Amino acid sequence: MMSNFLAPFLAFILILTTVPMTEAQTTNSEQPATKATVSDWQRLQNLKRGKQILIEYKSNVGGTFECKFMRIDGAGLVVSDGESEATINQAAIQRVYRLNGKWSRSTMAKIGAGVGMVIGTFIGGSRTISLEGERGHIGSEEDEIPAIAGCVIGTAAGAGIGALVGGKRKGKLLYEAK
């Protein structure tokens, strides 16, 4: 009975995990590498105020910064974190992306863990019920093991799948320095 369930379940997990990987590989290779010019920097001017952007700093500064676009001020990008505004010099910026509205990797992992826990508990509980229904079965505390194992395994599997599926927030490349 368990082998009849395990093979389709593993195939389903394999399908779910391979699709995002190939999508990420094709999306990154399709973005053309262009030289940064004044028109590229001014293209940010067309972005609406308040749009979520992701700024990748050059290697000497390092890191990324998620914020809201406010305006272009000469060679500076004025952004807001919701409480205050800051100006970031163009020389410190490597790339600017417009963010998609998708959930982050950690949020998807939490949602996946919750869904996996419920599904795993139901699968383990159904196995517990089928064990109790067998002829000559003597009930014991060990009858709860399949439900507990299903809950733990389902939580781990759901969190892993959620982490693999989520996290693709970078949208359109708006600016890239060369």
Side-chain angles (χ1 to χ4, degrees):
M1 166 110 178
M2 187 59 128
S3 63
N4 292 341
F5 171 73
L6 190 59
F9 180 69
L10 291 175
F12 178 70
I13 288 176
L14 182 64
I15 290 170
L16 283 179
T17 57
T18 55
V19 172
M21 287 180 203
T22 58
E23 180 183 328
Q25 290 171 354
T26 58
T27 304
N28 290 338
S29 65
E30 290 173 1
Q31 293 177 346
T34 58
K35 277 191 159 183
T37 62
V38 175
S39 64
D40 290 339
W41 183 251
Q42 293 302 321
R43 188 172 38 178
L44 289 171
Q45 189 73 30
N46 297 334
L47 194 60
K48 291 182 182 176
R49 183 182 178 104
K51 287 285 186 184
Q52 286 289 114
I53 59 173
L54 178 77
I55 299 171
E56 288 183 359
Y57 292 104
K58 290 188 176 175
S59 61
N60 58 345
V61 177
T64 61
F65 182 57
E66 190 175 320
C67 55
K68 291 183 181 179
F69 172 81
M70 300 311 280
R71 65 186 177 278
I72 295 290
D73 188 17
L77 178 62
V78 181
V79 296
S80 171
D81 63 355
E83 297 176 10
S84 62
E85 288 187 0
T87 303
I88 302 171
N89 194 349
Q90 180 181 2
I93 298 173
Q94 181 64 40
R95 290 181 200 88
V96 177
Y97 293 94
R98 183 180 64 218
L99 288 180
N100 292 333
K102 295 182 180 180
W103 288 331
S104 67
R105 186 174 305 276
S106 65
T107 301
M108 289 297 288
K110 291 172 189 173
I111 291 170
V115 171
M117 179 177 64
V118 170
I119 292 172
T121 302
F122 277 117
I123 292 172
S126 67
R127 179 65 182 146
T128 299
I129 291 170
S130 69
L131 285 174
E132 289 177 357
E134 290 180 357
R135 173 176 270 164
H137 177 74
I138 299 172
S140 68
E141 290 183 9
E142 292 180 358
D143 291 341
E144 298 173 358
I145 291 176
I148 294 170
C151 177
V152 171
I153 293 169
T155 301
I161 293 171
L164 287 173
V165 171
K168 179 97 173 87
R169 294 201 63 206
K170 283 184 187 175
K172 182 180 178 185
L173 178 65
L174 300 173
Y175 169 76
E176 182 173 18
K178 287 290 177 182

